[in-house]
Amino acid sequence: MPTVILPANGEARSVPDALPRRLGFWTTTALVIGTIIGSGIFRVPAAVAADAGSVTGIALVWILGGVITLCGTLATAELAAAYPDTGGFFVYLREAYGPGAAFLYGWTMLFLAPASTGAIALVFAEYSSTLVPLSPAGIRMVAAGSIVLVSITAYRSVVGAGAIQNVATLGKVAALAGLILTAFLLGDGTQGAFGSGAAAASSTKWSGLGVALVAALWAYNGFQDMICIAGEVRNPGVVLPRALMAGTAVVVAIYLSANAAYLYVLPYDSLLASPLAASDAMVRVIGAVGATAVAAMVMVSTFGTLNALVLTQPRVFFAMARERLLFASLASVHPRFGTPHVAIVWFTIGSLFGVWSRTFEQLAEAFVLGVWPFLAVAVAGVFLLRRRYPTLDRPYKTPGYPIVPLVFIAGTSWVVGSALVARPVSTLGGMALTLLGIPVYLLWRRKRSSG
C-alpha cells in the first residue's frame, strides 16, 4: 500500500498503509443520512413526549436537537476538510489536544460504538418479529445475524458496502416521505395531538427538556460516524463539507416532518404509550396493513444504518492502532480488498456482545452520554487549531464562527448536565468508563516506550 502525506500538527507527515480513496459525494452523503436515520425516529418519540410534557415541548426538543446537530456538523466540516484522515474525531482530538485525549475517545468508542450497533440491530430484529414471529432469543439471533451479514460486506469491499448504502438510504428517505405524506393526506387531524387529542398534554416540562434531548440526540446521532471514513473520500476538502451539510439538512427536515405527522394523527396520550409511534400512526390511517408497511420501512432503515456503522466505526480502531495506541494488528489493510479487515472483525465481535448483553434503551443512552461530550471537546478544537495553526490549509471554514461551534458546545453541555441531574447513575457510569481509560493509557504508553 503506498504512503500518503497527511496534515498533522500543522505539518505534513508520512503515514503508511493508508486506505485508498474510493468514495464520492453521493455515497458520502448517503453515509451521513444512513448513519443518522436508523431506529431513533421510530423509537424515541414516546420518550421525548414523556419528558417534554406538551406539543410545544416536543417541538422545542426536536428543533433544538436539529439546531445543535447542524451547528456540530458545520463546525466539524472545517476539521474534516483540514484533516481528511481515517479516524474522524480521534484525529481531531489528537491534533487539538494530543494523543492522550484521542486515546480516551477511542477507549470510550471501544465499548460504546459496538454497543450502538447492537442497539440498532435489536430494533431491526424486533421489527422483523412483527412479520415473522420470533421468541426473545430469536430476536437476538436475528440481530446478531444482521451484524454478521453487513460485516462480511464491509470486510470484502468498501465500494460494495457503499453501493448497498446508496440503495438503503434512498429506500429509507422515500419510505419516510411516504409515511409523512400518508399521515397528512389521509389522517384525521381533528383526533390527533393538534386537535381534540391534546387533552393528555400538560404544560411544558422545562426541567425535562434536557433529558428529552438525550433521546432526541440519539435519533440525530451519527453525523460523526461518516467522518471516520474521511481517509477514503475522493477530493475530501470539497466533498466532506458538502456531504455533511447536505446529509444533515435532509435528516433535520425529515425528523421535524415525521414528528409533526405523528402528532397530527396520534392523540398525545397514545403517543406517550407508544414505543412504536410510526407503526401506531399508520395503523390509525390505513389499518393493519400500516403496521406491516412500517415494519418493512424500519427494517430497511436500520439495516442501512447497520451497514453504515460497520463500514465507518471500525476506522477509529484502525486509526488508533496506526498511531500505536492499540494493538498493531488492527492497523492491518487487507492485501486484496483494501479494507481494515482486522478492525472490522474486532468491531463485529464487540457488537455481537452488545446484542446479547443489554436492552435498546440502555445501549442508546450509554452511547449519547459517553460519546457526545467528546464531540463538544473536539468542536472546541476549532478555536485552538485556528489560533495555533493560522496558516494551515482550510478548504472550508465554519460559517457563523464563533457562534456556531459555541452553540454546539453549549447545547451538548446542557444535555449532559441535565442527564447528570436526572439520571446520575448512568451518567456517572459513563464518566467512570472514560476516566478508567487514563491509567490504561499511561500503562500503554509506558509499554510502548519500553518496547
Side-chain angles (χ1 to χ4, degrees):
M1 191 67 61
T3 298
V4 296
I5 303 299
L6 297 169
N9 298 323
E11 299 177 357
R13 67 189 175 102
S14 298
V15 179
D17 295 329
L19 300 168
R21 295 188 180 275
R22 295 177 289 195
L23 302 177
F25 170 77
W26 292 110
T27 299
T28 306
T29 303
L31 280 169
V32 176
I33 298 172
T35 52
I36 300 178
I37 300 179
S39 61
I41 191 60
F42 305 104
R43 188 69 182 262
V44 304
V48 172
D51 289 322
S54 69
V55 172
T56 299
I58 291 174
L60 282 173
V61 166
W62 287 101
I63 291 171
L64 283 172
V67 170
I68 292 170
T69 303
L70 281 170
C71 288
T73 301
L74 292 170
T76 299
E78 176 173 328
L79 297 170
Y83 299 97
D85 195 5
T86 298
F89 277 80
F90 172 84
V91 176
Y92 315 147
L93 289 164
R94 181 197 69 201
E95 297 300 327
Y97 306 103
F103 177 87
L104 290 180
Y105 170 72
W107 165 263
T108 304
M109 287 287 285
L110 280 173
F111 297 94
L112 298 185
S116 72
T117 304
I120 298 295
L122 283 173
V123 176
F124 172 82
E126 287 171 356
Y127 273 90
S128 300
S129 69
T130 65
L131 302 180
V132 179
L134 297 170
S135 66
I139 288 174
R140 294 189 184 271
M141 289 182 67
V142 169
S146 65
I147 290 173
V148 171
L149 180 60
V150 296
S151 296
I152 291 172
T153 303
Y155 183 102
R156 291 182 56 86
S157 172
V158 170
V159 175
I164 292 174
Q165 194 59 48
N166 288 336
V167 174
T169 298
L170 180 62
K172 72 172 69 179
V173 170
L176 276 166
L179 181 154
I180 293 164
L181 289 174
T182 300
F184 282 116
L185 293 177
L186 302 180
D188 183 1
T190 62
Q191 302 299 312
F194 294 137
S196 61
S202 61
S203 59
T204 300
K205 300 176 182 177
W206 298 103
S207 62
L209 294 187
V211 177
L213 266 170
V214 174
L217 288 181
W218 164 257
Y220 279 117
N221 178 71
F223 73 91
Q224 75 277 9
D225 294 320
M226 181 281 292
I227 308 170
C228 297
I229 207 168
E232 294 160 80
V233 175
R234 297 191 302 268
N235 193 14
V238 175
V239 170
L240 287 172
R242 290 180 179 177
L244 280 166
M245 290 184 286
T248 305
V250 168
V251 171
V252 171
I254 289 175
Y255 278 11
L256 295 179
S257 300
N259 277 280
Y262 299 157
L263 291 167
Y264 182 77
V265 172
L266 294 174
Y268 200 88
D269 56 353
S270 296
L271 180 61
L272 284 173
S274 174
L276 307 176
S279 180
D280 289 347
M282 285 300 94
V283 168
R284 279 183 172 268
V285 175
I286 58 177
V289 69
T292 302
V294 170
M297 180 192 312
V298 176
M299 289 175 65
V300 171
S301 179
T302 50
F303 186 81
T305 301
L306 281 177
N307 180 75
L309 292 178
V310 174
L311 180 61
T312 58
Q313 289 187 340
R315 268 69 178 175
V316 175
F317 312 142
F318 172 86
M320 290 180 70
R322 195 172 56 168
E323 294 290 327
R324 299 178 63 200
L325 293 175
L326 205 56
F327 303 110
S329 60
L330 291 170
S332 301
V333 177
H334 196 284
R336 177 183 173 189
F337 303 134
T339 60
H341 58 300
V342 178
I344 290 172
V345 170
W346 203 29
F347 181 84
T348 301
I349 293 171
S351 300
L352 293 175
F353 179 78
V355 163
W356 290 97
S357 64
R358 305 180 76 180
T359 66
F360 168 84
E361 287 76 15
Q362 291 170 330
L363 294 169
E365 185 173 278
F367 187 86
V368 171
L369 296 178
V371 173
W372 274 68
F374 281 104
L375 305 189
V377 172
V379 166
V382 172
F383 298 96
L384 294 176
L385 292 168
R386 281 200 182 192
R387 185 170 64 250
R388 190 181 302 161
Y389 307 118
T391 61
L392 178 67
D393 182 29
R394 291 177 173 85
Y396 165 90
K397 289 188 176 182
T398 305
Y401 177 90
I403 301 301
V404 165
L406 286 175
V407 168
F408 180 75
I409 294 166
T412 303
S413 300
W414 175 41
V415 169
V416 175
S418 297
L420 181 60
V421 172
R423 296 170 186 169
V425 175
S426 59
T427 307
L428 290 173
M431 293 178 179
L433 172 64
T434 298
L435 293 175
L436 183 61
I438 295 176
V440 175
Y441 171 70
L442 295 175
L443 288 172
W444 185 272
R445 189 174 63 175
R446 177 181 299 178
K447 177 180 179 296
R448 187 180 67 175
S449 299
S450 62

